Amino acid sequence: MLFLRKNVMAFTGLFLCIFLVVHLAGNLILLLPAGLSKNLYNIYSHTLGENILIKVVSIILYLSIILHTVYAFLITMKNKNSLGEVDYFVNHKQDNSSWTSQNMGLLGMVILVFIVVHMVNFWMRVKLGFGEVIPLDQNGYKDVYLVVSELFRNPLYVIFYSVLMIPLGLHLKHGFSSAFKTLGVYKKSYIQRINIISLIFSIVTFIGFSVIPIVVYLRGLS
């Protein structure tokens, strides 16, 4: 059962990493000049919302978040009950030496809080229609850019969003490389390359997602 849980964690974690890459790539549109950014971002959001393949992937995404969270909790509880005999992914002494590896459960809970807050403020309004009705832009698409700019007009939300990218980056750095170890990649040369990729991926993700709300906020002040 533990073997199954660890593999589910690894596969769902890697899928969520792929999602983050795609999500960040789309959100980088927000860094373009305001006029161009608004038009392209609304077209981008409309295209995703109308694509049946994206809708299927979205269901897989939600299931992955749920499974990753549930199995992370079960594995964490197993670790506590076994007094550290079983690691978060694979029991490697060197991996367990870092603060991040010892606190993946805590980091995951912080990230979960962020996801819930973000979905309540963004996803529920855009996808489910909660809150104020979203106006249409000049092309007849939902003005999702307006929703984003309104959220990032609040300095507290900008701070919340940007600061919580720190635990996300730490979680990704350890989780990405650990997932491959769980799936059986043990060759030293491969592990070294994966660790480098993991570091770069975590840094790029942290910088990308943390800078976007700051840029949108500052743009709103001008």
Side-chain angles (χ1 to χ4, degrees), residues 62-116:
Y62 304 144
L63 290 175
S64 295
I65 293 174
I66 293 172
L67 287 174
H68 198 78
T69 302
V70 170
Y71 281 122
F73 175 78
L74 293 175
I75 291 175
T76 300
M77 291 300 99
K78 176 69 175 178
N79 290 351
K80 290 182 179 297
N81 293 334
S82 59
L83 298 178
E85 293 177 5
V86 182
D87 186 37
Y88 184 82
F89 283 104
V90 179
N91 190 21
H92 291 286
K93 184 176 180 179
Q94 291 182 345
D95 290 341
N96 294 337
S97 62
S98 71
W99 181 91
T100 301
S101 64
Q102 296 173 17
N103 292 275
M104 285 293 282
L106 174 61
L107 293 171
M109 288 302 298
V110 174
I111 295 168
L112 181 60
V113 170
F114 168 80
I115 292 174
V116 171

Side-chain angles (χ1 to χ4, degrees), residues 188-222:
K188 186 176 181 179
S189 59
Y190 291 163
I191 292 297
Q192 291 175 339
R193 293 171 187 171
I194 291 173
N195 287 340
I196 293 174
I197 294 173
S198 176
L199 177 61
I200 295 174
F201 174 58
S202 62
I203 292 175
V204 170
T205 302
F206 161 68
I207 294 176
F209 280 117
S210 61
V211 164
I212 290 173
I214 296 174
V215 170
V216 176
Y217 174 74
L218 294 177
R219 179 187 294 158
L221 295 179
S222 60

Side-chain angles (χ1 to χ4, degrees), residues 162-180:
S162 298
V163 170
L164 262 66
M165 291 304 100
I166 296 175
L168 175 63
L170 293 173
H171 195 82
L172 290 175
K173 182 181 180 298
H174 178 74
F176 185 85
S177 57
S178 294
F180 283 96

